Amino acid sequence: KRMSIKQWYQRRVRDSKSTARNQKGMDGPPKEIVDIEDFLLLMEEYQPTIPDEVTAYYLNRTGFNCDDIRVKRMVALAAQKFISDIANDALQYCKMRQSQQKSHSKEKGDKKLILTIEDLQQSLSEYGISIKKPEYFTDRVAGPSSSSSSQPKEKGKTP
C-alpha cells in the first residue's frame, strides 16, 4: 500500500516515540534504512511544486549530475520547504507590522494583509540572505525611442 508523504511523516514521528524497536541485535535492517527506502519510493510518485526540469537545470548548473528522479524531487521538496518557511516568516512580519500600525492609528476597518518588500527582507535576513529594493521601478526598458521604428520606411534605405 502506498502512503502519502504526510502519512509517512506521521508514521515516522509515531515510530520514533517507541524507543526499544531500534536497538542493536534485532533481526532485519535498522528502522532508519527502511524509512529512507519508503521515502524514496514515495518520491517516485510525488510531484513537487517546483517542476523536475527546473530542479534539474539548477542542479546541473551547480555541477550536480544525477539521473535519479527521486533525488531531484527530494531537492525540490527541500527547496519548496525553504521557500514556504520564508513566505510564512514574511507573513508573520506583515501581521506584526500591520497590527502595530492599527494600534497607532486606532482603525479597525480593513483586514487585508499587504506583504511588502520590507517584510520579505526581514524574513530573508533570518536565513542570512540580504536583498535590496531598487531605488525606482520602471515599466519599460531603457533604450532608443520606439517612435522612430513606427514610421514608414522608404525602399532601399536603412534606418
Side-chain angles (χ1 to χ4, degrees), residues 13 19 30 39 52 57 63 84 87 89 95 107 109 123 126 134 157:
V13 169
T19 56
F39 187 72
D52 294 334
Y57 171 78
S84 175
D89 290 348
K95 287 179 179 179
E107 291 180 21
S123 175
E126 289 183 12
K157 292 188 176 181

Side-chain angles (χ1 to χ4, degrees), residues 11 20-21 23 26 33 57 59 83 89 98 100 105 114 122 126 131-132 138 143 149 152:
R11 189 186 81 186
R21 295 167 92 182
Q23 294 178 353
M26 292 184 66
I33 292 175
Y57 171 78
L59 286 175
I83 292 168
D89 290 348
Q98 287 188 343
Q100 289 173 354
S105 65
I114 301 171
Q122 287 179 325
E126 289 183 12
I131 61 171
K132 292 183 182 179
T138 62
S149 62

Side-chain angles (χ1 to χ4, degrees), residues 48-83:
T49 303
I50 302 170
D52 294 334
E53 295 80 13
V54 173
T55 305
Y57 171 78
Y58 283 104
L59 286 175
N60 287 335
R61 195 165 172 211
T62 61
F64 182 83
N65 294 316
C66 180
D67 294 330
D68 192 353
I69 193 71
R70 300 173 303 177
V71 173
K72 292 177 184 176
R73 288 182 178 170
M74 282 194 308
V75 171
L77 184 62
Q80 180 179 335
K81 170 77 167 93
F82 181 67
I83 292 168

